[in-house]
Amino acid sequence: MKLRTAPTGAVPRLCLDILDQPHTLIAGATGSGKSVLINDLIYTALFSPPCEKQFILIDPKRVELRSYRKLPHTLIYASEPADMVRAINKAVDIMERRYKRMTRRGEKQSSEAHIYIIVDEFADLMTTLKRQTVPALCRLAQLGRAANIHLILATQRPTKDIVTGQIKVNIDARVALRCPTAQDSRNIINTTGAEQLPRHGFCYYLTPDTMQPVKVAVPRIPENEINKLIQYRR
Ligand SMILES: Nc1ncnc2c1ncn2[C@@H]1O[C@H](COP(=O)(O)OP(=O)(O)O)[C@@H](O)[C@H]1O
Ligand SMILES: [Mg+2]
């Protein structure tokens, strides 16, 4: 029998940093690499066991995150409208139960697993389920941090109608891949520039720590590396 060993591929620093952020908004034109970055992030998280890092995957496009649905890290995979609403409400439930436990134990920060709620693509979710999901998403954005519940939202349209003010003010880590317009760039990193990035492979990354957007390479983890890790984790 062939023994399986854990893959040991290097993980991108950018991804480790994003996974440490309370919440992250990723914006960029179609084909700019939002899904590539999300795959990188999941790959990076998969180096941790499911008792440390877990996912709630919201996949309105129905194909982008499918291959991760059977992982032990995946609490919920949702691609149908009713399932997506249920998944987001479930995340609020989990958060509230964590707050109760934290109060009981006198903790300010949860010591439970980090749960990443990953939405690829957020504009698709908003155009169909805005009314049903925005209140819950606002609560998660406001209160998730202390409960180790993170939002990672990818969108091709970082406009006010898609990323509402109340969600946006609470998501202070921003990744701008190549944006269609200078205004889109301003919406995400508060300054123009992302419209001039190469078609893919680079982003501007803004966090409260850096205060200014920093240009960072976005590596693409080869699909076979990702698949090897999925097989191992399953
Ligand atoms: N960082 C990258 N390095 C190399 N190729 C990339 C990178 N990001 C994107 N690409 C190329 O662009 C294509 C579209 O990327 P994708 O992540 O699907 O874009 P989006 O989700 O923003 O529409 C990929 O299939 C790949 O060929
Ligand atoms: Mg995509």
Side-chain angles (χ1 to χ4, degrees):
M1 198 180 109
K2 202 166 156 242
L3 285 176
R4 282 192 293 167
T5 50
T8 52
V11 296
R13 252 194 75 131
L14 171 68
C15 294
L16 289 171
D17 203 278
I18 292 174
L19 293 174
D20 276 343
Q21 300 295 328
H23 308 294
T24 306
L25 188 58
I26 300 167
T30 302
S32 63
K34 298 181 295 294
S35 297
V36 163
L37 177 55
I38 283 182
N39 279 289
D40 290 357
L41 287 168
I42 294 175
Y43 174 82
T44 304
L46 286 178
F47 280 87
S48 303
C51 60
E52 289 175 14
K53 291 195 166 61
Q54 302 173 347
F55 310 126
I56 291 178
L57 303 174
I58 311 286
D59 188 13
K61 285 199 158 38
R62 294 159 196 228
V63 287
E64 300 293 354
L65 306 173
R66 240 191 134 64
S67 50
Y68 304 111
R69 73 192 187 288
K70 295 258 171 68
L71 283 167
H73 301 66
T74 303
L75 294 177
I76 308 172
Y77 169 87
S79 57
E80 297 299 324
D83 294 342
M84 294 193 282
V85 173
R86 221 175 293 130
I88 291 165
N89 288 332
K90 175 81 186 166
V92 175
D93 276 357
I94 294 173
M95 181 176 77
E96 282 169 356
R97 269 185 273 130
R98 284 187 173 188
Y99 266 93
K100 283 195 190 124
R101 278 195 292 272
M102 285 155 57
T103 310
R104 214 165 41 229
R105 296 174 186 156
E107 291 174 351
K108 287 216 170 83
Q109 180 70 40
S110 170
S111 50
E112 296 182 74
H114 291 266
I115 298 179
Y116 298 91
I117 303 168
I118 301 178
V119 186
D120 187 10
E121 128 91 59
F122 191 61
D124 291 355
L125 183 72
M126 284 300 103
T127 45
T128 53
L129 298 170
K130 189 168 189 164
R131 216 164 25 85
Q132 297 95 312
T133 56
V134 163
L137 287 167
C138 283
R139 277 188 73 70
L140 292 165
Q142 279 168 351
L143 300 170
R145 180 185 197 133
N148 287 345
I149 295 186
H150 309 256
L151 290 174
I152 298 180
L153 310 180
T155 181
Q156 51 180 319
R157 282 159 55 198
T159 48
K160 282 204 182 76
D161 56 323
I162 300 298
V163 188
T164 62
Q166 221 191 338
I167 293 179
K168 195 169 156 181
V169 291
N170 287 295
I171 305 189
D172 45 20
R174 310 286 177 80
V175 177
L177 293 148
R178 186 188 172 105
C179 287
T181 67
Q183 184 55 46
D184 289 325
S185 175
R186 215 176 281 127
N187 281 344
I188 175 102
I189 52 169
N190 311 326
T191 172
T192 60
E195 76 285 1
Q196 288 175 22
L197 285 169
R199 192 136 59 89
H200 47 65
F202 285 92
C203 68
Y204 280 109
Y205 181 47
L206 174 66
T207 65
D209 299 334
T210 59
M211 310 258 282
Q212 267 195 0
V214 182
K215 192 172 169 183
V216 186
V218 182
R220 183 191 194 192
I221 311 284
E223 210 167 319
N224 66 326
E225 279 298 313
I226 298 179
N227 288 337
K228 257 194 280 177
L229 190 54
I230 293 177
Q231 287 312 321
Y232 172 74
R233 282 303 186 189
R234 276 171 73 169

